[in-house]
């Protein structure tokens, strides 16, 4: 079985012992390869996510951590995942990802409502999402 490597021109031969003690030459690539786990290309990198609404929630040009910005970014991801799931109904990994993003957004909205009620109302109305259920004691 031949070893295929993208760096074929840089392969060197390493002598080693094969079956029955015979000396054979094995091609060795100088570039280490990842064999397990997700490659960088397989991870989500924000492709097809419309983040045009995020800019209106920023407090400054470099603001990425305020709760309003995070909720806006998570809402953009929810929209992207929802449209993906409409086209790919059996993509259960994406469905799980959507549930995780929704949970993260809900927690961020709970924090925002607890800390700054006015900003919570503004954020919910601008994004056009349902607010959290009011718990009446």
């Amino acid at each position: 079985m031949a070893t295929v490597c993208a760096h074929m021109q840089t392969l060197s031969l390493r002598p080693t012992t094969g079956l029955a003690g015979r000396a054979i030459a094995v091609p060795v690539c100088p570039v280490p390869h990842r064999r397990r786990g997700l490659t960088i290309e397989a991870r989500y990198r924000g492709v097809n996510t419309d983040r045009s609404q995020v800019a209106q929630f920023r407090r400054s040009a470099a603001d990425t951590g305020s709760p309003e910005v995070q909720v806006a970014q998570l809402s953009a991801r929810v929209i992207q995942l929802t449209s993906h799931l409409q086209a790919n109904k059996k993509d259960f990994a994406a469905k799980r990802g959507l549930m995780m993003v929704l949970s993260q957004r809900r927690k961020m909205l709970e924090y925002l409502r607890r800390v700054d009620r006015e900003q919570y109302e503004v954020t919910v109305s601008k994004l056009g999402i349902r607010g959290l259920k009011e718990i009446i004691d």
Side-chain angles (χ1 to χ4, degrees):
M1 185 162 127
T3 303
V4 179
C5 179
H7 312 93
M8 286 300 273
Q9 65 274 9
T10 59
L11 288 178
S12 61
L13 296 177
R14 178 181 53 162
T16 186
T17 307
L19 297 174
R22 293 187 212 142
I24 57 171
V26 177
V28 177
C29 181
V31 180
H33 298 279
R34 279 183 80 175
R35 298 198 185 252
R36 292 187 199 107
L38 291 176
T39 61
I40 291 174
E41 295 81 24
R43 294 186 197 137
Y44 175 72
R45 293 288 180 213
V47 180
N48 298 328
T49 302
D50 180 27
R51 297 187 182 193
S52 59
Q53 285 189 332
V54 175
Q56 66 182 339
F57 293 100
R58 290 198 171 129
R59 296 176 184 172
S60 66
D63 181 19
T64 58
S66 65
E68 309 86 45
V69 172
Q70 290 185 47
V71 168
Q73 288 176 337
L74 290 169
S75 295
R77 181 78 171 121
V78 165
I79 292 168
Q80 188 268 333
L81 280 170
T82 304
S83 65
H84 171 78
L85 284 171
Q86 288 172 349
N88 304 288
K89 295 187 185 302
K90 294 192 176 189
D91 189 351
F92 299 109
K95 187 174 182 179
R96 179 176 181 266
L98 176 63
M99 293 297 126
M100 291 184 342
V101 170
L102 284 170
S103 175
Q104 200 173 3
R105 184 177 76 174
R106 180 185 48 79
K107 290 175 188 174
M108 192 60 64
L109 283 170
E110 286 174 354
Y111 169 78
L112 187 59
R113 183 174 68 179
R114 188 175 64 245
V115 172
D116 188 359
R117 181 72 95 158
E118 290 178 23
Q119 191 61 41
Y120 164 78
E121 299 291 339
V122 169
T123 303
V124 168
S125 64
K126 279 187 181 179
L127 288 173
I129 58 178
R130 279 186 296 171
L132 299 171
K133 294 180 182 177
E134 292 292 329
I135 299 173
I136 301 171
D137 294 319

